[in-house]
Amino acid sequence: MANEEIHLNSIPTGPLGIISLESTKDLGRKVDDYIVSWRAERGRETPITFPDYVKDSFLVSSKTPRFGSGEGKGVINESIRGKDLYIMVDVTNYSLTYTVCGHENRMSPDDHYADLKRIIGATAGKAKRITVIMPFLYESRQHRRSARESLDCAFALHELVNMGVDNIITFDAHDPRVQNAIPLNGFETVSASYQFLKGLLRKEKDLTIDSDHLMIISPDEGGTSRAVYLASVLGLDVGMFYKRRDYTRIVNGRNPIVAHEFLGSSVEGKDVLIIDDMISSGESILDVARELKERKARKVFAAATFGLFTNGLDSFDKAYEEGTINGILSTNLTYQTPELLEKPYFINCDMSKYISLIIDTLNHDASISELLNPINRIRKIVNKYNNNEAI
């Protein structure tokens, strides 16, 4: 069977429908292609008597047009009554624009979130179940209160649940504890560890995966759990940097970093993989890479689920040319510029198959525990690499 990673022996909980908002159009198309091919083959091998189980496409036609004033609405162009609906949105996709009184505006996370709510509103309670797939969790960086501040992420989760959303699936939430805002509803934060390792091993042919030659690094204390998980699965050592900040000043809305202090064993002569949830401006990642190079690390790679690159790519180009960093891994869960995809140091990790597996499994009302904890898949790919087999 084409889909060997899951074995489904139950009928779906309802006819499958996928709404891919404009921000995830390309990703949604890939997800749909996977599910269409799996179900076509599954239907031939074991005919399943369920309406519309095998289709040419599970994408539901929808749009979010704007009026000349900038106001918008959500429109669904076909029936979704009784469907198990999955709505995909990328709130960081700044490539999309709309016109306000003749002026062009780029869509912000607020605009994308508003469009998501419009589409949910357009379902008018007719869907059997609604699952929102929001790879970059809206306002996830504003997840806790340290002063008189708004708690935007928690408020958004409450709002979605009150609108009838049953499950929320995100990737590498900045702080997974934000799910405590909706304790009675489904919330999954998915890791891209397997895809990072797969991408790295496909690109680099001279790595030795043991504690004497490879080390996993967390760039700050907040990301330690990601590094510890991957290092534990691979049997590697972990290192961590913590940010020493100047709390007497505020620059660009935050206390500036004075230095990155390192905790861990020697990295001399080792390859290192820095793993984090996002690359925003990239200052922290590059500072950590320089610190590692000063400590005589052999090769330095950085992996982040969301490569936002908010300050452009010039600093990364320079770091690559200087030999500070050897590769950047990120996923297609957020918008990627054509310029980024052409960079010699960039390794793109496609997440479309993983999302397809999650949707297909949930639609069958089966457990996704094995998908969320990819230990066996990680060990399998490492064995292939060690045996010089194609990945």
Side-chain angles (χ1 to χ4, degrees), residues 65 94 120 168 192 203 267 319 370:
Y94 62 88
I120 295 171
I168 296 169
K203 178 79 173 180
V267 299
E370 192 173 334

Side-chain angles (χ1 to χ4, degrees), residues 93-371:
N93 191 337
Y94 62 88
S95 70
L96 303 178
T97 61
Y98 63 94
T99 302
V100 181
C101 300
H103 300 280
E104 187 176 73
N105 272 17
R106 287 193 178 272
M107 290 189 70
S108 70
D110 291 345
D111 292 316
H112 288 296
Y113 178 63
D115 279 352
L116 169 65
K117 291 192 293 182
R118 291 180 177 115
I119 288 295
I120 295 171
T123 66
K126 300 300 188 296
K128 182 173 184 178
R129 184 173 67 177
I130 296 177
T131 298
V132 168
I133 299 178
M134 186 188 294
F136 187 98
L137 187 61
Y138 175 70
E139 291 290 355
S140 58
R141 300 176 79 176
Q142 185 51 29
H143 59 95
R144 64 181 178 181
R145 181 177 284 153
S146 55
R148 286 185 290 276
E149 301 173 334
S150 57
L151 289 173
D152 297 48
C153 189
F155 182 78
L157 293 177
H158 265 287
E159 196 170 26
L160 292 176
V161 165
N162 290 337
M163 291 185 73
V165 173
D166 298 279
N167 301 295
I168 296 169
I169 296 174
T170 189
F171 285 77
D172 252 333
H174 195 61
D175 188 340
R177 290 173 296 183
V178 75
Q179 67 187 289
N180 294 338
I182 49 169
L184 300 180
N185 292 82
F187 182 99
E188 300 290 350
T189 176
V190 185
S191 170
S193 299
Y194 169 70
Q195 285 76 13
F196 287 149
L197 189 63
K198 187 177 180 180
L200 181 62
L201 298 185
R202 275 180 169 172
K203 178 79 173 180
E204 295 294 319
K205 304 302 182 184
D206 65 339
L207 298 178
T208 303
I209 305 173
D210 61 37
S211 57
D212 293 326
H213 298 89
L214 184 63
M215 193 168 178
I216 308 296
I217 302 293
S218 173
D220 55 40
E221 59 275 23
T224 307
S225 60
R226 297 183 193 92
V228 167
Y229 172 80
L230 189 55
S232 298
V233 173
L234 296 175
L236 307 178
D237 289 336
V238 178
M240 187 198 84
F241 284 86
Y242 70 90
K243 299 170 183 175
R244 188 150 53 86
R245 295 181 180 272
D246 181 357
Y247 288 98
T248 64
R249 297 185 298 137
I250 295 179
V251 178
N252 295 328
R254 61 181 182 176
N255 303 107
I257 298 170
V258 177
H260 289 86
E261 305 290 353
F262 182 66
L263 299 174
S265 58
S266 172
V267 299
E268 185 173 352
K270 295 181 181 180
D271 299 314
V272 294
L273 175 62
I274 308 166
I275 190 162
D276 205 0
D277 61 333
M278 75 176 75
I279 295 174
S280 184
S281 66
E283 292 177 7
S284 293
I285 287 285
L286 293 179
D287 284 345
V288 166
R290 292 186 191 99
E291 292 282 347
L292 291 168
K293 277 295 186 181
E294 287 179 7
R295 290 172 170 78
K296 299 181 180 180
R298 189 177 83 103
K299 286 187 177 181
V300 177
F301 302 94
T305 308
F306 307 107
L308 304 179
F309 303 101
T310 56
N311 288 1
L313 299 170
D314 291 345
S315 58
F316 289 92
D317 293 344
K318 184 178 179 182
Y320 177 68
E321 290 166 5
E322 294 173 347
T324 302
I325 203 155
N326 298 88
I328 301 286
L329 298 98
S330 191
T331 72
N332 60 341
L333 294 173
T334 53
Y335 171 68
Q336 296 170 318
T337 64
E339 179 190 7
L340 173 65
L341 295 173
E342 291 175 359
K343 295 296 181 183
Y345 54 80
F346 183 69
I347 303 171
N348 187 25
C349 302
D350 186 6
M351 300 295 290
S352 56
K353 185 178 181 181
Y354 198 13
I355 294 174
S356 306
L357 288 167
I358 291 171
I359 291 176
D360 199 20
T361 306
L362 287 177
N363 179 238
H364 280 261
D365 218 16
S367 172
I368 61 171
S369 297
E370 192 173 334
L371 292 174

